[in-house]
Amino acid sequence: MNKHESDTRPLSPHLTIYRPQNTSILSILHRLTGIGLMVPSMAIVALVLTIPMGPKYFELLVYFFSTMFGKFLLVLSLWGIIYHTLTGIRHLVWDSGRGIELKWVNISSWFIIIGSILLSGLIVFLLESS
Amino acid sequence: MRKLSFFINALFNGDHQKGTDHWVGQRITSVAIVPFVALFLIFFLMNYGSGYEEVKNYFLNPIINSLTILFFVLIFLHLKQGLEVVIEDYISKKLTREIFLKANAVLCNCMGLLGVLALLSIYFIG
Ligand code: HEM
């Protein structure tokens, strides 16, 4: 850390004076889904851990994810990973210098919003009906 | 040699003197994680509703087992890198920030390690 760096640097962006737009909303959602994906990541580790621990623990975890709250978490995680993947890929495309014109940002934004909802909805529907 | 150390630094270093290395490291895990997430979603959905024995047999398959190990390593590296950026954005007090960065690194590495050990123990101990 540099000596001249103070402990109280201002934070950016200045949220209180910032007008929400679809670009800023999608951006903050990418961050929120990224942080939120901690939960399913740990759930997958927990699932794998129950295998050497024995069927009792496995059934307990499966039971938890069959409750209303557990199912809610599953659906949210499913949407979260699809959304974060789509915006993440868009980030990588941006990093390669492509798709940064406002027109393309708007088009891809709508594609991501609608695509992530439709895709996760379709998957939930297929699971429930199988 | 310089290239190799840059690559390793980009992926594993928690020391944020080197912003570019961190940025490159994030791009590496982001690109690498895409096929794993796609595969994971497909396999998870195909096996949704399976019982204990089925899931166990599934992870006894050496290909599935080792792919899942790679998946865990990538997820928790990517998560650690991502949360580091978030912590640096929101916590401006130096000492607090450093504590959070350390805690984050320890927790993410431990979760990844736990997952990898569980998979190895399924395969080698049963
Ligand atoms: C196909 C899968 C994924 C892709 C393509 C992807 C891509 C990305 C990219 C490019 C960034 C950097 C964004 C930026 O520079 O602002 C990022 C940030 C992040 N990702 Fe992912 N990611 C994926 C999966 C995951 C998973 C599974 C997790 C959780 C374990 C996760 C957690 C995070 C977090 C916490 C951040 C930091 C958010 C921020 O800085 O705003 N990502 N991701």
Side-chain angles (χ1 to χ4, degrees):
Chain A
M1 212 54 69
N2 295 329
K3 278 208 187 67
H4 59 259
E5 186 182 293
S6 94
D7 266 4
T8 50
R9 290 178 300 176
L11 301 175
S12 161
H14 303 278
L15 294 174
T16 47
I17 56 162
Y18 200 83
R19 183 171 65 86
Q21 317 158 53
N22 86 16
T23 47
S24 63
I25 293 173
L26 263 80
S27 164
I28 193 65
L29 274 178
H30 180 75
R31 175 157 282 193
L32 287 178
T33 49
I35 300 170
L37 282 172
M38 252 169 113
V39 177
S41 306
M42 296 205 274
I44 299 166
V45 170
L47 178 84
V48 174
L49 261 180
T50 63
I51 303 294
M53 285 165 78
K56 238 174 53 195
Y57 296 91
F58 179 83
E59 306 294 340
L60 198 67
L61 198 76
V62 169
Y63 170 74
F64 172 73
F65 282 103
S66 72
T67 62
M68 267 324 257
F69 180 63
K71 282 194 171 161
F72 171 73
L73 280 184
L74 273 183
V75 173
L76 206 61
S77 306
L78 188 64
W79 174 79
I81 186 65
I82 291 172
Y83 177 88
H84 186 93
T85 302
L86 291 177
T87 39
I89 291 173
R90 188 171 66 156
H91 257 290
L92 297 173
V93 174
W94 282 341
D95 293 335
S96 77
R98 275 166 275 231
I100 38 185
E101 302 83 8
L102 197 55
K103 189 183 113 204
W104 284 110
V105 174
N106 277 323
I107 292 175
S108 55
S109 292
W110 284 111
F111 176 81
I112 289 172
I113 295 171
I114 295 169
S116 65
I117 294 174
L118 279 183
L119 193 57
S120 43
L122 178 73
I123 292 175
V124 172
F125 173 78
L126 286 178
L127 283 183
E128 284 297 311
S129 60
S130 70
Chain B
M1 222 34 228
R2 160 80 197 117
K3 272 231 173 75
L4 186 68
S5 72
F6 179 74
F7 188 76
I8 292 172
N9 196 40
L11 277 181
F12 295 103
N13 205 344
D15 169 16
H16 282 204
Q17 301 282 8
K18 300 180 171 127
T20 314
D21 289 14
H22 191 270
W23 188 88
V24 171
Q26 256 192 318
R27 304 309 116 175
I28 294 175
T29 61
S30 299
V31 172
I33 214 171
V34 175
F36 284 91
V37 166
L39 274 182
F40 168 76
L41 277 178
I42 292 170
F43 280 112
F44 183 80
L45 298 171
M46 275 170 35
N47 290 286
Y48 184 76
S50 301
Y52 177 80
E53 287 301 326
E54 281 170 279
V55 175
K56 184 171 180 175
N57 281 330
Y58 182 70
F59 285 117
L60 280 173
N61 177 324
I63 297 173
I64 300 284
N65 194 295
S66 42
L67 281 180
T68 313
I69 287 180
L70 272 178
F71 184 49
F72 280 166
V73 171
L74 277 175
I75 288 185
F76 288 103
L77 262 180
H78 180 83
L79 179 64
K80 179 172 77 89
Q81 295 165 338
L83 292 178
E84 271 163 2
V85 177
V86 175
I87 290 168
E88 284 168 350
D89 279 355
Y90 298 133
I91 302 180
S92 53
K93 200 161 179 305
K94 192 174 157 188
L95 181 65
T96 322
R97 181 171 66 222
E98 238 121 71
I99 293 172
F100 269 83
L101 285 174
K102 260 285 172 295
N104 172 49
V106 170
L107 285 177
C108 288
N109 290 340
C110 283
M111 286 309 294
L113 194 65
L114 202 62
V116 170
L117 287 178
L119 283 163
L120 288 177
S121 89
I122 296 171
Y123 193 78
F124 289 107
I125 305 172

